[in-house]
Amino acid sequence: LLAEVASETGEGGRVYMGVALALARAEYALATDDPQASAAFARAGRSHAQRRRIVPLQKDFDLAEAEALLRDGDPSSARGAAERGIAASREQGSVRLLWRLLGVLGAIEQTAGRADEARRARAEAASSVDAIALTLRSSGLEDAFRARRAVRETLGLGGIRV
């Protein structure tokens, strides 16, 4: 199937598919409880996305790396990845992943025993969630978005798995 998709998508599609597959590898490794492999895949994927100038997806790799490093017990390195993604999101004016990156930062701060910083990060994440939810209200999707596990975890309501 992948060969068929690659043959039909041309060079641009193959570049994008390569980045998407790298992200899938990082997410799969984390889902199968291999945070070290996940972090390595995320770093490699981010590097590939940078070389190919696929800017929007670089933050996805920052998020994947931060989650993996936090799960692997390296909150300091996780903080660096999360802060990189947060800075890029703000620079680009993007809220697509800002809320999740702030949620991971909140979990990192909580793990480090910095409750005030954790609350601040989660409060900012909540503002981003509210902004996204507002755009979904007219289409009737606001409640479904707010009910997502990732949203609850980001806000500290479901606990990001560490």
Side-chain angles (χ1 to χ4, degrees):
L1 176 64
L2 290 177
E4 182 181 324
V5 169
S7 70
E8 293 178 9
T9 57
E11 179 61 25
R14 284 190 290 277
V15 169
Y16 179 81
M17 287 299 294
V19 172
L21 287 172
L23 184 58
R25 284 185 190 115
E27 291 176 346
Y28 180 78
L30 191 61
T32 58
D33 208 24
D34 191 351
Q36 290 177 351
S38 178
F41 286 138
R43 285 187 203 106
R46 185 177 201 290
S47 177
H48 178 70
Q50 281 180 307
R51 282 191 314 274
R52 303 301 264 191
R53 294 181 178 91
I54 302 179
V55 175
L57 294 181
Q58 292 174 26
K59 296 179 296 296
D60 293 78
F61 291 108
D62 293 330
L63 176 62
E65 182 180 359
E67 289 177 332
L69 291 168
L70 179 59
R71 179 122 22 117
D72 198 38
D74 187 357
S76 178
S77 297
R79 178 180 285 106
E83 289 176 343
R84 184 176 57 235
I86 290 166
S89 292
R90 288 180 175 148
E91 179 182 314
Q92 297 164 12
S94 172
V95 295
R96 182 177 67 87
L97 291 178
L98 180 60
W99 61 281
R100 289 189 59 198
L101 288 156
L102 287 163
V104 170
L105 182 61
I108 291 165
E109 299 295 6
Q110 191 72 42
T111 298
R114 293 189 286 269
D116 289 341
E117 289 87 347
R119 275 191 292 278
R120 275 193 287 278
R122 288 194 172 121
E124 191 175 349
S127 292
S128 292
V129 164
D130 289 344
I132 293 168
L134 185 60
T135 68
L136 299 171
R137 184 172 289 162
S138 65
S139 61
L141 297 173
E142 178 182 9
D143 292 340
F145 172 69
R146 289 184 184 279
R148 291 181 59 202
R149 179 180 172 186
V151 172
R152 292 191 322 273
E153 288 176 350
T154 292
L155 301 178
L157 304 174
I160 293 177
R161 184 174 162 212
V162 180

